[in-house]
Amino acid sequence: MAAAPAPQEAETSASALIDARIRDLADWRGATLARIRKLMHEAVPEVVEEVKWMGVPVWSHAGILCTGETYQQAVKMTFAKGASLPDPKGLFNSSLEGNTRRAIDVHEGEAINEAALRALFRAAADFNGLQAAQKKAKAKAPAKKKAGS
């Protein structure tokens, strides 16, 4: 049985798969996905690229930040914890009814508010980092003794 690839190898192969996905689209969706990816790397240089769920690009940092799904009429960025993120520029325009996720659908010809999207990517990474730190601190905290024990 073959060993699992090292984390750096897995990231490289995921990046290559995302490159291939962008090339294969060869239309406005590929260009949009490439632009989103570039903005993600500008906002969160330490982001990890993954490919899950039958080829969907996923960007992670202490957990999933967002996915980059492509459909015939839209490129959809689904933020795993979008409902917990500030969205002062009103970028979220899809999946608004849930308690956890939020999404942004980009259609052909639509402009992307790049500064606001970079800020949203950074907020998602900061939120995940904060949650991870809180979880780690909670795990390390000594158990409280009950009175009379």
Side-chain angles (χ1 to χ4, degrees):
M1 187 159 106
Q8 187 175 5
E9 289 174 16
E11 184 177 346
T12 300
S13 60
S15 295
L17 289 171
I18 295 170
D19 288 341
R21 177 75 180 136
I22 289 167
R23 270 192 317 273
D24 290 347
L25 287 166
D27 62 10
W28 70 270
R29 295 170 303 160
T32 300
L33 188 59
R35 187 71 193 138
I36 289 166
R37 181 189 200 190
K38 182 178 184 300
L39 295 171
M40 173 63 81
H41 282 278
E42 289 172 4
V44 187
E46 63 277 12
V47 72
V48 174
E49 293 192 321
E50 303 173 274
V51 176
K52 298 184 180 197
W53 310 296
M54 299 186 331
V56 174
V58 177
W59 293 281
S60 298
H61 180 272
I64 293 175
L65 300 177
C66 82
T67 63
E69 303 156 80
T70 53
Y71 299 96
Q72 194 65 34
Q73 300 298 319
V75 174
K76 179 183 284 288
M77 291 171 275
T78 301
F79 287 74
K81 297 174 185 153
S84 299
L85 302 177
D87 183 21
K89 299 296 183 185
L91 296 179
F92 290 128
N93 61 9
S94 182
S95 304
L96 301 175
E97 60 284 339
N99 293 330
T100 306
R101 291 183 307 241
R102 292 287 183 271
I104 301 169
D105 288 354
V106 180
H107 300 93
E108 186 172 9
E110 286 183 345
I112 296 174
N113 182 335
E114 294 182 0
L117 187 55
R118 278 192 297 268
L120 194 56
F121 288 151
R122 188 71 244 165
D126 291 346
F127 183 81
N128 281 5
L130 179 62
Q131 281 199 316
Q134 288 173 340
K135 191 174 187 178
K136 188 175 182 179
K138 188 175 182 180
K140 283 187 173 183
K144 293 182 181 179
K145 293 185 178 182
K146 291 185 179 180
S149 295

